[in-house]
Amino acid sequence: LCCFQLYGYCYQDSNDIPDTLTTITELGSPLEMIQLLQTSWEDRFRICLSLVRLLHYLAHSPLGSVTLLDFRPRQFVIVDGELKVTDLDDASVEESSCTSNSDCFMEFPARNFTLPCSVEGRCQSMNEKRNLYNAYRFFFTYLLPHSAPSSLRPLLDKIVNATGNHNKHGNAYYLYLALELSPSPSVSSEFTQKCVKSANTQYRRVPEAFIPDENYRCWPSYHHKGCLLSVFDVNEAIEICDSYSQCKAFVLTNQTTWTGRQLVFFKMASNHIVPDPDKITYVKVTD
């Protein structure tokens, strides 16, 4: 699940290059951080969740704790919305040997760490800690906090701080539990409950109807030419529409994201409404 799937391989001898190995793997998309920052927080959460599962596997693999010595975005790809590692050439299962704590010194561009030396003469959890801090500085610090739901920010801040500071919770198992057991973006949150209280604008419900035009752009959006966002329910859609001055209507679709949140088109007018059995339109009522 966490690494590229190998579909097949073959050996081929040639005069120029003997013992040539050809592999056939699944197709993935290159990881572009700028593009990821422009996607919805829900999609970025999914990527971070798949990375946490990878970290947990590497820390408890059948070979022992594995570290990726070249842990950079270019070593990963996106497959069906999840992060997978493609290059294991620089993977290592050797924990550094030591005679004192000073031998367990880890140096990074922003900060350094010293880990304890075990009685067996090995730096404790150095492979795991190296993976965690690289995940923090290349992924978590950018993808997790940015535009996250307000109800999840305390938990996300704790996760980011744990990976960045190597405190007592800075291990792959903690991250695994924290993200796997965290409230899914699809469930009701403080933000959704706030929407119920603050939604005082009146909307007229038009069943089996769609507004094909009248688009405007918003960020983040699932549609590059319009404003298509995910919501928990109609109350959250109303709150979002009220927050945009150009929003005069919205359309509930029958499509959902990977967490079950419903996709909604937000429109700047409702002059042209057409029949559509799979959609429900809400039009803002003006005085």
Side-chain angles (χ1 to χ4, degrees):
L1 295 176
C2 57
C3 303
F4 240 20
Q5 183 174 351
L6 179 66
Y7 289 129
Y9 64 92
C10 63
Y11 289 100
Q12 180 180 0
D13 291 331
S14 65
N15 295 329
D16 298 329
I17 305 176
D19 299 327
T20 302
L21 174 64
T22 302
T23 61
I24 301 97
T25 63
E26 63 183 326
L27 183 64
S29 302
L31 190 65
E32 299 291 343
M33 191 59 66
I34 294 179
Q35 293 181 1
L36 285 182
L37 291 173
Q38 296 173 346
T39 62
S40 69
W41 182 85
E42 199 173 2
D43 288 342
R44 284 183 272 121
F45 177 85
R46 185 182 186 183
I47 291 172
C48 290
L49 183 59
S50 60
L51 178 56
V52 166
R53 291 168 179 162
L54 169 62
L55 293 174
H56 182 261
Y57 176 80
L58 292 176
H60 304 87
S61 79
L63 299 176
S65 182
V66 180
T67 187
L68 301 179
L69 299 176
D70 191 13
F71 196 117
R72 285 181 286 182
R74 69 183 184 184
Q75 306 288 11
F76 298 86
V77 294
I78 303 296
V79 179
D80 295 330
E82 297 193 358
L83 195 71
K84 294 192 177 185
V85 63
T86 63
D87 190 354
L88 295 175
D89 291 345
D90 296 309
S92 174
V93 296
E94 293 294 329
E95 293 279 17
S96 299
S97 59
C98 59
T99 57
S100 65
N101 291 350
S102 60
D103 295 329
C104 302
F105 181 73
M106 290 197 303
E107 185 175 5
F108 295 96
R111 63 182 307 173
N112 305 319
F113 302 96
T114 300
L115 300 178
C117 180
S118 69
V119 294
E120 293 83 10
R122 295 289 178 180
C123 296
Q124 291 184 14
S125 305
M126 178 168 276
N127 287 347
E128 180 181 5
K129 297 291 187 180
R130 183 183 288 112
N131 289 340
L132 286 170
Y133 189 77
N134 281 325
Y136 159 80
R137 69 190 186 105
F138 286 120
F139 293 97
F140 295 145
T141 189
Y142 299 109
L143 301 182
L144 272 180
H146 183 56
S147 70
S150 58
S151 62
L152 294 181
R153 284 174 188 165
L155 173 62
L156 298 177
D157 289 341
K158 184 181 296 185
I159 291 173
V160 172
N161 289 335
T163 55
N165 297 326
H166 277 343
N167 62 23
K168 65 180 181 179
H169 296 305
N171 59 68
Y173 184 66
Y174 167 78
L175 287 179
Y176 179 78
L177 290 180
L179 285 190
E180 287 284 5
L181 301 179
S182 66
S184 166
S186 66
V187 302
S188 178
S189 64
E190 294 175 6
F191 177 72
T192 304
Q193 295 167 7
K194 174 179 174 291
C195 292
V196 177
K197 298 177 182 178
S198 62
N200 49 19
T201 307
Q202 290 188 347
Y203 285 79
R204 177 169 57 91
R205 183 177 184 272
V206 186
E208 298 185 356
F210 179 62
I211 303 173
D213 302 312
E214 310 295 350
N215 291 313
Y216 66 89
R217 294 184 179 180
C218 67
W219 184 91
S221 174
Y222 287 91
H223 194 283
H224 68 283
K225 291 185 178 180
C227 187
L228 179 64
L229 303 174
S230 68
V231 302
F232 173 72
D233 59 10
V234 67
N235 292 304
E236 187 174 352
I238 290 174
E239 177 75 6
I240 293 174
C241 191
D242 286 347
S243 68
Y244 287 98
S245 59
Q246 64 267 53
C247 182
K248 304 301 178 185
F250 59 87
V251 181
L252 299 180
T253 72
N254 61 351
Q255 296 176 301
T256 59
T257 64
W258 69 279
T259 57
R261 287 172 62 89
Q262 193 168 9
L263 290 178
V264 176
F265 278 105
F266 293 88
K267 305 288 184 173
M268 61 183 179
S270 57
N271 299 324
H272 180 48
I273 299 179
V274 299
D276 191 321
D278 298 325
K279 297 179 178 63
I280 302 175
T281 293
Y282 285 79
V283 179
K284 185 179 294 186
V285 178
T286 56
D287 296 332

